[in-house]
Amino acid sequence: MNRARVLACKDDRYAKYSNYLASKSVTKHILLIEDNKSDVALIKRMLRDSFSGYELEFYDVSRMSDALQMLDSNSFDLAILDLSLIDIEGTAAVSAFHSQAPNIPIVVHTGSQCPNLRQEAMMCGAKHCMIKGRESPFSFKFMIEQALENATA
């Protein structure tokens, strides 16, 4: 590879990284759709502790119907979605949210151990899927950053 191509490649990566860092300097609005208050508190603490580069503003609801209603009056950068809600279960939750807000990345955070769940959730519109209790703050942060970065790319 010649020197000009290497420099162009480095410049391109630098530009993408600069754009990504610039996007981190603003407040990110996260819709947290979870009916377990302990999980809500855990997710907020995990993300606030690991995201020191920018402000996170959470809006938490326990029902899909409330989440869909929030879309009418708010703008969100990301949704974190449990698949076992009071008013909807399984990948139907992903489909319902994605059909109303196709431009908002969805990260599924569920307690289900179903082996096909990840693939099914992704096919319904989720960007990532995590199993409750198996996520580390680092992996959770990585998935959230990836979803946010891909949404702004």
Side-chain angles (χ1 to χ4, degrees):
M1 188 179 276
N2 68 27
R3 182 169 166 74
R5 277 179 101 179
V6 170
L7 291 175
C9 184
K10 285 182 179 179
D11 287 344
D12 185 47
R13 277 187 275 163
Y14 177 75
K16 286 181 181 178
Y17 186 68
S18 294
N19 289 340
Y20 173 67
L21 288 178
S23 73
K24 290 178 75 171
S25 65
V26 297
T27 300
K28 297 296 181 183
H29 302 277
I30 298 176
L31 180 58
L32 181 50
I33 310 164
E34 169 65 66
D35 59 353
N36 183 317
K37 292 299 179 192
S38 297
D39 287 338
V40 169
L42 176 67
I43 290 168
K44 286 179 178 180
R45 185 176 66 241
M46 230 187 323
L47 291 178
R48 284 198 174 118
D49 289 349
S50 57
F51 279 90
S52 58
Y54 55 92
E55 177 97 19
L56 298 176
E57 190 169 330
F58 292 95
Y59 302 80
D60 54 281
V61 295
S62 60
R63 298 174 187 266
M64 180 58 70
S65 56
D66 295 337
L68 297 178
Q69 199 170 34
M70 293 277 295
L71 294 173
D72 293 335
S73 57
N74 297 283
S75 176
F76 298 102
D77 299 296
L78 177 81
I80 300 173
L81 174 62
D82 181 25
L83 297 185
S84 182
L85 298 171
I86 296 166
D87 58 348
I88 196 166
E89 290 252 347
T91 55
V94 179
S95 294
F97 189 86
H98 185 66
S99 69
Q100 294 298 310
N103 295 326
I104 299 175
I106 302 167
V107 174
V108 170
H109 188 240
T110 185
S112 175
Q113 301 284 332
C114 178
N116 297 328
L117 181 67
R118 176 179 158 80
Q119 183 179 9
E120 291 173 15
M122 304 284 267
M123 288 173 46
C124 292
K127 299 297 179 198
H128 294 284
C129 185
M130 292 180 288
I131 306 299
K132 291 179 183 177
R134 291 190 180 175
E135 77 283 11
S136 69
F138 176 78
S139 64
F140 206 176
K141 177 185 178 199
F142 177 78
M143 288 184 187
I144 298 298
E145 281 181 337
Q146 288 292 307
L148 289 170
E149 183 177 349
N150 291 337
T152 59

